[in-house]
Amino acid sequence: MPYPQFLRSGARDRLIRATRTGPTAEQQSAPPSRAVEAQKELLERIGDFVIEHGLGVNSANLAAICAALSGADAELAQAFTARELSGEPIDQRWLDTLARLDPGTNGRIAELEQLMDKLEYSLMRFAQTTKMAQDETSDHRGALGAQIEAIADVAAPGGMVAELDRVVELSRAVLERIERVEQAMERSQDEARRLRASLATARMEADVDHLTRLPNRRAFERRLVSAASEARSKSEPLCIGFCDVDRFKQINDRYGHDAGDRVLCTIADTLSEHASDQCFVARHGGEEFVVLFYGLDKQAALAKLDSIRRAQAARRLRDRFTGQPFGQITFSAGIAEVTEDSDTRSALARADAALYQAKAAGRNRVVFI
């Protein structure tokens, strides 16, 4: 039996060694020319892999493929190998599923949130400290100024006039420097306020998908955790639905990526227009969207999402340049109930499995597990 493409060109033995033992002593001591050749070979294999499987050239894909092909991530390498040995496609949906089911995602988002919180707190403390220092400096400057004027008004003996004038002159020079320090502190406060405002804007922008203007995956991950906790505390159902645009790659290939972007925006609009207060809609990545259904069990969530699916299937789009119709633009979806399991992330896997069933059953339908 020939090895899968993933394991050809002598990669199989290298992959097994890398996943078990890491770099060998021979690899570590290899001359630079050999290391360069190894890098070139890896880059060629990554490029061939991307083209062969029709994958997008983006940072997430390249990072995953590089980690697998190089053996840097043993679990990822094993997942790629098992996938190809099984004869199942290594496509964008599968790569997105790997990323979605990564248990470290929530941890990384939490770390980012903590860093942003620390930055905001530091800016706040800096602004408070600067304001206190400015107030104290201003008070001291006022008291010092009054004393200088009082000294200047004192009639000094003839021999002391020059010395007293010199003291007053030096004191006024100190006052001028204090005033410049106050101005610098005020500018620092203004800059701190601007930075905090920029951070607040960045927080909001970080939660928004820039193409569809829906909440993004980062916002969804955070909402899922809080919604699941609340649903369990109230003993209420919570369902999740994954929606994937049908034959999206064909749309991009035939009409171009601008048309693909219009399709994604149309799906986003349909989901938003027909969703209710009981729904939270987000773009999860690529051509995939996610919906949280508050207080709805699987049957009710399926009925709701299926009505949205029918509304989308009834819409028609045309190429804005040629007027050529795109045909029917549909999506498939899978639904799972989050509160059926104590592990929130297991619902993601179940919804994803239901989505695969919907695709396998002919697309343009909603399935629940």
Side-chain angles (χ1 to χ4, degrees), residues 12 68 87 165 188 258 317 336:
R12 180 176 180 274
D165 288 344
S188 295
D258 286 344
L317 291 179

Side-chain angles (χ1 to χ4, degrees), residues 305-317:
L305 190 53
D306 198 54
S307 68
I308 299 175
R309 179 197 61 78
R310 291 195 301 272
Q312 173 57 46
R315 301 183 70 167
R316 295 293 182 270
L317 291 179

